[in-house]
């Protein structure tokens, strides 16, 4: 991470959308997490540039921002695939064979959990519970949830996104 | 079906001025959508247009019969009939037979007046207070909530009941927190009301982090106004003018429906300045979580709303005296709040008449895993565990054998068949070593290894430990290591003893509820399934065939036809055999991936 004194901010056209987000939350108490969430929605992940700009503009030490981003599993500090596959490994999914689903997808895509395919199409993740336990095993691709999976169904769903 | 639902249905019929001859209502909760509800919706749209049938297409939340999703209600003058497991291919017949020819398709009916089906009992044996509207109304239309008597309880308290008296109604009802700890709700409100402070907050805890629990999601998606009304009444009672709902990041649909509900409530004057033209003002904001289980703990949740790392702190001071931004704050769970309007409308005595001496009212359980009918079950406190799992949910899937039920999520415990006759209430569950928790019930059959399940939970809690206190941060890690060794057949002599001692230490020494309850799955499996640990340690076997390093794959001579499918799928060439002759697995090469077993067309391969 660079130092926080540099006034890299809105002059960077890449960061103009961030400016809008910051303006919206400028007067909110507890703005940091919503700002990070919206910035991540806008840019896909939280780059150093973005974090530094938030720090300077909102007068929050970069160390504090880094502390928050690394605490919550939702925040990403690195680019990820276009589609994020979250395979549920919650209790209901676990006893219904989540391991097999993940294994099948990992084989299909040739990556491990936490990795992104070379073509940057897919990132494979494992999550705790998607709240859809009665259809276990379950996975979520972006905001779509798929239930009653088998390894083959899961592979089929992924093909739709290729 | 309980009388609440009946009452509500009668109300529904009276509502609406323009009434088309028929309605098709599709369950569009997250579970319905995951099962393909939008495809069914589109199919109906097309079919109705093609056949030129006049019927209103509507949505509703989750009724809790998740095992029957996609659910479609068809309402005609003959009444309401629900079809289950609906696919787009079934739509044209439903339209032509039921809507056009007025002949319901009996084979597909799951619920309907005058029809006795295998699903009738699932709802008939429940008692629905919190879920009264879920799956009955359109959650995005405030008028439908109003037609069930919605916001009447709020109006009543604002106009007729002083705040102190509202608190005493809730105290008399005996309502206890549904978020896990079971603290009496009325007393919590009283503490917050009495606390010194010019500004006070209500926080609705919708973080629902326990894997296996989804009742809060269903209520938020299916009946968001009941939660808002509960918050408003709570706000009035404790003297707060602002509320937050902290929803977990994995629930985008719940957030969307809450936003719609809040803006509709604002438009109707239930939220904002001078609620219903009284001096009471109240507004609600949504905060989305960012993926941290520990943020369900109240002090961590507050830190998270304030924009910090969600780490719990020591209590006291309790949030009731010093909470959000140091102000008195009352934190209640979604299900707790969804009870409030019902209690005000129906009276404390009616609520207190349900349940046991110390646990009043009902509780929702999310029953999942290896159970036939998985879904949401709301029953009076004190109902027997057996009634929930076997009576309502129909017992074990695929005629398997019941092995254990895991209650209360990662903080809960695993109970064996011998305890199926205990009643479910806060005290009796705690006595077994499990806890009520949020009400997740994951049922396991013989295919689940209890040692592995304990390891699974420890893996979860160890991952989610925030790291602030040593017993939880390091204790769970060491416990996980021991459990991993046991499941891999690399046990050290004193592991079991050490595991139990450490589990007890972590329980007493941890800072927050996460660490204090994390050992529960380990302690309960040791207590009730100790023999499985023994088999793992002494015989180096996993009878359930889950712990990979303790199983071997073998081909059954009498079933193998020598087709060669396994040979093709084996990634390490460990299988050999001439065509049409019995094959063999070379154990020294086998990596135990299980692909051969998965693909064998004759079920000739098993794990021993
Ligand atoms: C690790 C941990 C996780 C928790 N998660 C939740 C949760 O997801 N939802 C919830 O309502 N309460 C949760 N709680 C309990 C809350 O701290 C708090 O007791 C509860 O929200 C109070 O509401 P109630 O009195 O209505 O139950 C959790 C507690 C701990 C220790
Ligand atoms: S355990 Fe997988 S969705 Fe809940």
């Amino acid at each position: 991470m660079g130092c926080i004194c540099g006034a890299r901010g809105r002059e960077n056209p890449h960061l103009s959308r961030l400016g809008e987000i910051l303006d919206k939350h400028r007067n909110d108490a507890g703005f940091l997490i919503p700002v990070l969430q919206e910035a991540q929605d806008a840019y896909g992940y939280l780059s150093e540039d973005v974090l530094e700009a938030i720090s300077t503009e909102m007068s929050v030490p970069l160390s504090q921002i880094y502390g928050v981003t690394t605490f919550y599993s939702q925040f990403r500090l690195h680019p990820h695939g276009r589609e994020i596959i979250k395979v549920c490994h919650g209790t209901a999914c676990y006893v219904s064979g989540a391991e097999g689903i993940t294994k099948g997808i990992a084989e299909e895509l040739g990556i491990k959990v936490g990795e992104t395919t070379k073509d940057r199409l897919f990132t494979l993740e494992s999550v705790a519970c998607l709240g859809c336990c009665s259809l276990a095993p379950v996975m979520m691709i972006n905001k779509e949830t798929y239930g009653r999976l088998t390894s083959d169904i899961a592979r089929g769903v992924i093909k739709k996104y290729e | 079906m309980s009388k609440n639902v009946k009452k509500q249905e009668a109300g529904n019929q009276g509502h609406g001025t323009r009434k088309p001859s028929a309605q098709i209502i599709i369950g569009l909760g997250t579970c319905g959508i995951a099962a393909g509800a939008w495809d069914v919706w589109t199919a109906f749209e097309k079919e109705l247009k093609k056949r030129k049938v006049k019927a209103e297409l509507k949505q509703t939340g989750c009724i809790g019969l998740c095992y029957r999703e996609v659910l479609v209600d068809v309402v005609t003058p003959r009444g309401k009939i629900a079809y289950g497991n609906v696919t787009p291919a079934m739509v044209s017949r439903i339209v032509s037979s039921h809507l056009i020819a007025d002949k319901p398709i009996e084979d597909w009916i799951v619920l309907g007046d005058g029809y006795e089906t295998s699903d009738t009992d699932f709802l008939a044996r429940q008692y629905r207070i919190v879920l009264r509207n879920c799956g009955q109304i359109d959650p995005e239309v405030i008028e439908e909530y109003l037609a069930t008597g919605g916001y009447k309880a709020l109006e009543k308290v604002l106009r007729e009941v002083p705040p102190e008296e509202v608190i005493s109604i809730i105290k008399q009802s005996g309502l206890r927190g549904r978020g896990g700890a079971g603290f009496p709700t009325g007393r919590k409100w009283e503490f917050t009301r009495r606390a010194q402070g010019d500004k006070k907050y209500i926080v609705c805890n919708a973080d629902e982090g326990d894997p296996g629990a989804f009742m809060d999601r269903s209520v938020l998606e299916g009946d968001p106004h009941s939660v808002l009304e509960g918050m408003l009444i709570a706000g009035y009672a404790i003297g707060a003018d602002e509320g937050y709902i902290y929803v977990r990041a994995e629930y985008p649909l719940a957030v969307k429906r809450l936003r719609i509900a809040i803006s509709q409530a604002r438009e109707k004057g239930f939220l904002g300045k001078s609620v219903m033209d009284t001096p009471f003002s109240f507004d609600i904001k949504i905060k989305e979580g960012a993926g941290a289980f520990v943020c369900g703990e109240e002090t961590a949740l507050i830190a998270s709303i304030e924009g910090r790392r969600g780490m719990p702190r020591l209590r006291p001071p309790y949030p009731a005296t010093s909470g959000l931004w140091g102000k008195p704050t009352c934190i209640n769970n979604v299900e707790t709040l969804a009870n409030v309007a019902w209690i005000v409308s129906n009276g404390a005595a009616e609520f207190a008449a349900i349940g046991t001496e110390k646990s009043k009212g009902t509780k929702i359980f999310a029953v999942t895993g290896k159970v036939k009918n998985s879904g949401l079950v709301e029953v009076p406190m004190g109902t027997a565990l057996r009634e929930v799992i076997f009576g309502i949910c129909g017992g074990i899937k695929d005629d398997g054998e019941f092995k254990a039920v895991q209650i209360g999520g990662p903080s809960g415990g695993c109970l064996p068949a011998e305890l199926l006759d205990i009643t479910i209430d806060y005290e009796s569950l705690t006595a077994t070593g499990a806890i009520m928790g949020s009400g997740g019930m994951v049922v396991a059959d013989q295919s689940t290894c209890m040692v592995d399940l304990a390891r699974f939970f420890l893996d979860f809690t160890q991952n989610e430990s925030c790291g602030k206190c040593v017993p939880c941060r390091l204790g769970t890690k060491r416990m996980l290591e021991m459990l991993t060794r046991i499941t891999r057949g690399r046990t050290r002599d004193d592991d079991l003893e050490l595991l139990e001692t450490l589990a007890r230490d972590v329980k007493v020494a941890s800072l927050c509820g996460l660490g204090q309850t994390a050992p529960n799955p380990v302690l309960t499996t040791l207590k009730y399934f100790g023999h499985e640990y023994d088999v793992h340690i002494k015989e180096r076997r996993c009878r359930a065939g889950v712990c990979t390093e303790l199983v071997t794959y073998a081909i059954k001579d009498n079933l193998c036809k020598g087709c060669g499918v396994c040979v093709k799928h084996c990634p390490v060439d460990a299988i050999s055999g001439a065509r049409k002759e019995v094959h063999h697995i070379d154990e020294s090469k086998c990596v135990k991936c299980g692909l051969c077993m998965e693909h064998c067309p004759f079920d000739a391969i098993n794990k021993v």
Side-chain angles (χ1 to χ4, degrees):
Chain A
M1 291 265 149
C3 74
I4 56 164
C5 57
R8 273 205 264 166
R10 289 200 221 169
E11 303 84 66
N12 183 344
H14 170 67
L15 295 178
S16 66
R17 264 152 89 205
L18 182 63
E20 286 164 31
I21 296 169
L22 296 179
D23 286 342
K24 196 166 105 196
H25 290 284
R26 208 164 282 278
N27 299 317
D28 292 356
F31 60 81
L32 186 55
I33 293 174
V35 162
L36 291 168
Q37 284 169 329
E38 289 178 32
Q40 177 161 294
D41 271 350
Y43 295 102
Y45 76 106
L46 298 168
S47 63
E48 263 184 58
D49 275 4
V50 167
L51 295 184
E52 279 173 15
I54 294 174
S55 165
T56 325
E57 285 277 324
M58 308 298 266
S59 310
V60 186
L62 196 52
S63 57
Q64 191 181 327
I65 298 182
Y66 189 71
V68 169
T69 52
T70 50
F71 185 84
Y72 296 97
S73 64
Q74 187 189 34
F75 296 123
R76 300 162 201 286
L77 298 175
H78 302 286
H80 55 76
R82 189 186 73 198
E83 321 288 348
I84 299 173
I85 306 167
K86 295 181 182 161
V87 182
C88 177
H89 282 235
T91 324
C93 292
Y94 186 76
V95 303
S96 308
E99 303 261 288
I101 306 296
T102 297
K103 213 167 88 183
I105 298 175
E107 262 166 36
E108 178 75 31
L109 299 177
I111 51 172
K112 291 202 204 89
V113 173
E115 293 181 348
T116 300
T117 51
K118 281 215 183 71
D119 55 10
R120 287 222 181 282
L121 222 48
F122 296 104
T123 299
L124 180 59
E125 291 181 353
S126 143
V127 295
C129 174
L130 296 169
C132 218
C133 327
S134 46
L135 300 180
V138 176
M139 70 175 173
M140 195 170 183
I141 302 187
N142 298 334
K143 290 198 171 174
E144 293 280 319
T145 313
Y146 299 88
R148 295 182 183 137
L149 296 176
T150 61
S151 182
D152 289 339
I153 295 178
R155 285 171 202 241
V157 170
I158 287 175
K159 288 230 166 72
K160 280 202 314 201
Y161 285 84
E162 274 171 0
Chain B
M1 205 174 277
S2 81
K3 62 181 181 188
N4 322 300
V5 177
K6 278 259 164 63
K7 219 189 283 169
Q8 180 267 313
E9 272 175 358
N12 238 3
Q13 274 152 18
H15 147 73
T17 41
R18 161 190 69 91
K19 217 167 165 216
S21 52
Q23 289 179 334
I24 293 164
I25 308 171
I26 302 183
L28 282 174
T30 296
C31 40
I33 294 172
W38 278 121
D39 295 340
V40 172
W41 178 285
T42 318
F44 267 110
E45 254 175 1
K46 278 196 194 136
E47 193 66 24
L48 293 175
K49 208 162 156 195
K50 190 171 117 198
R51 300 291 200 108
K52 300 203 171 58
V53 179
K54 273 221 175 71
E56 191 186 358
L57 204 51
K58 290 177 50 174
Q59 67 167 340
T60 188
C62 166
I63 197 175
L65 259 89
C66 307
Y67 62 103
R68 286 286 183 220
E69 291 287 359
V70 177
L71 281 161
V72 175
D73 292 339
V74 177
V75 187
T76 59
R78 71 155 65 227
K80 180 154 137 185
I81 282 171
Y83 294 110
N85 299 105
V86 179
T87 60
M90 292 157 72
V91 166
S92 115
R93 204 175 137 203
I94 294 176
V95 172
S96 62
S97 176
H98 192 155
L99 283 175
I100 298 175
D102 194 30
K103 282 204 198 81
I105 307 159
E106 299 203 0
D107 289 351
W108 295 349
I109 294 176
V110 292
L111 293 171
D113 286 339
Y115 292 93
E116 188 75 28
T117 71
S118 60
D119 302 296
T120 315
D121 266 6
F122 185 81
L123 284 182
R125 289 163 91 151
Q126 298 196 30
Y127 194 110
R128 294 194 153 194
I129 292 178
V130 176
L131 295 175
R132 58 194 181 269
N133 296 325
C134 285
Q136 309 286 344
I137 62 170
D138 183 338
E140 296 185 11
V141 179
I142 191 172
E143 284 77 12
E144 297 213 357
Y145 181 68
L146 292 172
T148 68
Y151 290 109
K152 285 261 162 57
L154 174 67
E155 182 164 18
K156 179 172 158 189
V157 299
L158 290 185
R159 301 210 194 285
E160 298 163 21
V161 193
E164 291 82 1
E165 216 167 292
V166 176
I167 292 177
S168 82
I169 292 174
I170 299 299
K171 275 169 89 175
Q172 281 158 19
S173 76
L175 176 65
R176 293 169 66 175
R178 303 294 193 241
F183 192 83
T185 307
R187 271 178 52 208
K188 199 186 266 188
W189 290 12
E190 191 172 46
F191 290 144
T192 323
R193 174 158 189 88
R194 289 195 186 149
Q196 294 292 324
D198 48 343
K199 172 100 188 166
K200 292 176 185 174
Y201 295 98
I202 289 284
V203 173
C204 169
N205 188 342
D207 197 43
E208 195 162 68
D210 282 5
F214 55 94
M215 59 288 286
D216 293 353
R217 172 183 68 71
S218 282
V219 173
L220 295 172
E221 286 178 6
D223 192 16
H225 286 287
S226 69
V227 180
L228 301 189
E229 191 174 1
M231 285 181 78
L232 275 152
I233 295 172
Y236 171 75
I238 67 160
D241 64 353
E242 213 177 331
Y244 282 91
I245 306 179
Y246 187 90
V247 194
R248 72 193 286 249
E250 289 83 352
Y251 288 178
L253 187 62
V255 172
K256 179 187 152 208
R257 298 235 164 108
L258 274 173
R259 285 198 206 289
I260 294 173
I262 289 174
S263 82
Q264 288 174 343
R266 227 177 253 145
E267 246 165 56
K268 295 262 177 202
F270 299 128
L271 277 178
K273 284 231 159 12
S274 312
V275 173
M276 297 172 111
D277 300 317
T278 64
F280 175 62
S281 296
F282 194 79
D283 217 336
I284 295 178
K285 290 198 183 102
I286 297 177
K287 281 277 178 181
E288 286 182 62
F293 171 70
V294 71
C295 286
E297 197 279 338
E298 53 189 24
T299 58
L301 188 149
I302 288 171
S304 183
I305 295 183
E306 291 173 352
R308 295 183 284 124
R309 285 164 75 94
M311 306 245 242
R313 61 158 173 79
L314 266 181
R315 298 173 305 177
Y318 285 91
T321 45
S322 175
L324 195 54
W325 288 296
K327 308 288 183 204
T329 303
C330 173
I331 300 184
N332 278 130
N333 163 265
V334 171
E335 190 182 335
T336 314
L337 290 166
N339 271 299
V340 168
W342 191 95
I343 294 172
V344 171
S345 299
N346 294 270
E350 180 135 359
F351 189 83
I354 311 164
T356 65
E357 193 200 332
K358 286 186 176 158
S359 305
K360 301 295 187 193
T362 59
K363 175 77 191 92
I364 312 179
F365 295 97
V367 192
T368 58
K370 296 297 171 63
V371 70
K372 271 198 189 114
N373 309 338
S374 73
L376 290 181
V377 175
E378 183 173 355
V379 285
M381 294 275 190
T383 302
L385 199 47
R386 185 184 298 281
E387 162 69 4
V388 172
I389 296 172
F390 288 87
I392 296 174
C393 295
I396 309 302
K397 230 187 215 168
D398 306 325
D399 294 318
E401 199 185 318
F402 174 91
K403 185 180 204 174
V405 55
Q406 207 284 338
I407 303 182
S411 332
C414 299
L415 305 183
E418 299 88 87
L419 292 181
L420 275 172
D421 290 310
I422 62 158
T423 55
I424 315 169
D425 56 68
Y426 293 101
E427 281 71 26
S428 67
L429 279 179
T430 309
T432 64
I435 58 161
M436 177 83 78
S438 52
M441 268 193 201
V442 183
V443 177
D445 65 3
Q446 298 303 326
S447 68
T448 302
C449 165
M450 301 312 290
V451 184
D452 180 66
L453 194 63
R455 188 202 53 80
F456 165 81
F457 281 114
L458 248 289
D459 187 37
F460 178 86
T461 35
Q462 183 266 328
N463 236 318
E464 296 293 342
S465 169
C466 77
K468 182 168 176 174
C469 74
V470 177
C472 176
R473 181 180 71 228
L474 296 180
T476 55
K477 208 171 179 77
R478 292 291 96 82
M479 283 166 71
L480 175 62
E481 283 166 3
M482 290 179 216
L483 285 163
T484 307
R485 282 204 291 272
I486 298 175
T487 56
R488 294 203 173 150
R490 300 194 194 138
T491 325
R492 295 188 197 153
D493 287 345
D494 56 349
D495 266 354
L496 213 50
E497 210 178 307
L498 209 59
L499 181 63
E500 192 160 353
T501 322
L502 187 54
R504 297 196 186 285
D505 290 346
V506 170
K507 230 173 130 79
V508 291
S510 292
L511 185 148
C512 87
L514 195 151
Q516 288 159 11
T517 58
N520 287 351
V522 178
L523 289 169
T524 51
T525 46
L526 278 170
K527 182 167 167 192
Y528 300 116
F529 300 92
H531 56 281
E532 290 201 23
Y533 283 85
D534 284 344
V535 173
H536 279 71
I537 293 170
K538 296 196 182 117
E539 298 174 26
R540 315 248 146 162
R541 288 258 150 236
C542 172
R543 296 234 167 101
V546 174
C547 302
T548 324
E549 291 175 39
L550 304 184
V551 300
T552 43
Y553 286 83
I555 296 178
K556 291 189 214 154
D557 293 0
N558 56 339
L559 292 176
C560 178
K561 303 260 189 287
C563 68
V565 168
C566 55
V567 180
K568 258 188 242 145
H569 281 97
C570 180
V572 290
D573 293 329
I575 309 179
S576 59
R579 224 176 144 67
K580 303 216 169 157
E581 272 175 35
V582 175
H583 284 42
H584 292 283
I585 300 175
D586 181 349
E587 249 189 74
S588 64
K589 284 190 191 162
C590 175
V591 291
K592 298 171 184 176
C593 67
L595 283 173
C596 53
M597 188 165 129
E598 200 180 299
H599 287 98
C600 174
F602 307 105
D603 289 332
I605 302 177
N606 67 345
K607 286 192 269 194
V608 284

